[in-house]
Amino acid sequence: MRVPNPPDAVPGAEIIRQLQRHGIQDARLLQVMSSISRAQLLPPETRDQALIDGAVPIGCEQTMSQPVVVAAMTQALRLRGAERVLEIGTGSGYQTAVLSRLAAEVFTVERLPTLSLRARGILDGNGSENIHYRIGDGTLGWPEEAPFDRIIVTAGAPTFPTELFRQLIENGILVVPIGDDEGQQLTVVRKSNGEPISEEIMACRFVKLIGQEGWFAC
Ligand code: SAH
């Protein structure tokens, strides 16, 4: 009799292979990312694309990020486990799930209710208890919970997000793609004596960050 693989054994191994091909070596990050099912967080229409090495549509004209981009952004946050992290752009909830395993608390904001509620339904079902959800314009941050040790923006900002930077603690790290429709630079910003010290780490292409300090809604 053929014994089936445990449901996630093969997909997990494939994610590890992809990330290693892209030069990601952090063992803890590989372990966490391979233990979270992309398929489970995708809508039925695109679930069969869970193992592609790219972004995948999640409905509402949005996408789940490519695993290597999730890995690069997460690494740039330098999480040690005790941080309170603000994430802008819950989307599918994949990046949210990764953060929830590596930080103490995750505050995630999504402007589209359909996506926020779907991600929450799945992640709650998985027993993730350190995630707090909000529906609204994430460019304004989450003032009641600020300041944050880390802030990650998973949509492309047209300009430097000043309000989010304001909600970052001293020595905190903000990771944000900044650019236009054609593409952005993944920018890592550290707050030092209240001032931003920025470094561009890779070219990327995200959907638009739409809001008061983002692009206009169309
Ligand atoms: N990390 C997500 C990325 C989703 S795409 C994933 O891997 O699935 C980016 C998300 O940002 C979209 O869901 C989009 O609706 C959301 N978004 C865009 N502008 C936003 C804003 N101002 N506030 C909160 N979410 C926003």
Side-chain angles (χ1 to χ4, degrees), residues 11 31 50 53 72 76 93 104 108 194-195 202 218:
Q31 185 262 322
D53 187 6
T108 185
E195 296 297 322
M202 67 189 266
C218 45

Side-chain angles (χ1 to χ4, degrees), residues 62-65 89 91-92 110-111 115 137-138 154 207-208 210:
Q62 308 302 321
T63 54
M64 173 190 274
S65 303
S92 66
E110 169 58 54
R111 62 182 285 271
L115 296 180
D137 179 5
T154 68
V207 297
K208 283 183 177 174
I210 295 172

Side-chain angles (χ1 to χ4, degrees), residues 26-87:
D26 180 330
R28 173 98 179 100
L29 183 60
L30 291 173
Q31 185 262 322
V32 165
M33 288 188 62
S34 64
S35 70
I36 298 167
S37 166
R38 272 181 117 205
Q40 188 199 26
L41 289 157
L42 285 169
E45 313 84 77
T46 56
R47 197 159 287 155
D48 61 342
Q49 296 176 46
L51 295 182
I52 68 164
D53 187 6
V56 182
I58 56 174
C60 308
E61 298 176 3
Q62 308 302 321
T63 54
M64 173 190 274
S65 303
Q66 184 182 4
V68 66
V69 174
V70 174
M73 293 181 93
T74 307
Q75 275 188 325
L77 289 175
R78 299 178 181 275
L79 297 170
R80 291 172 166 216
E83 296 85 2
R84 295 170 77 248
V85 182
L86 175 66
E87 178 193 35

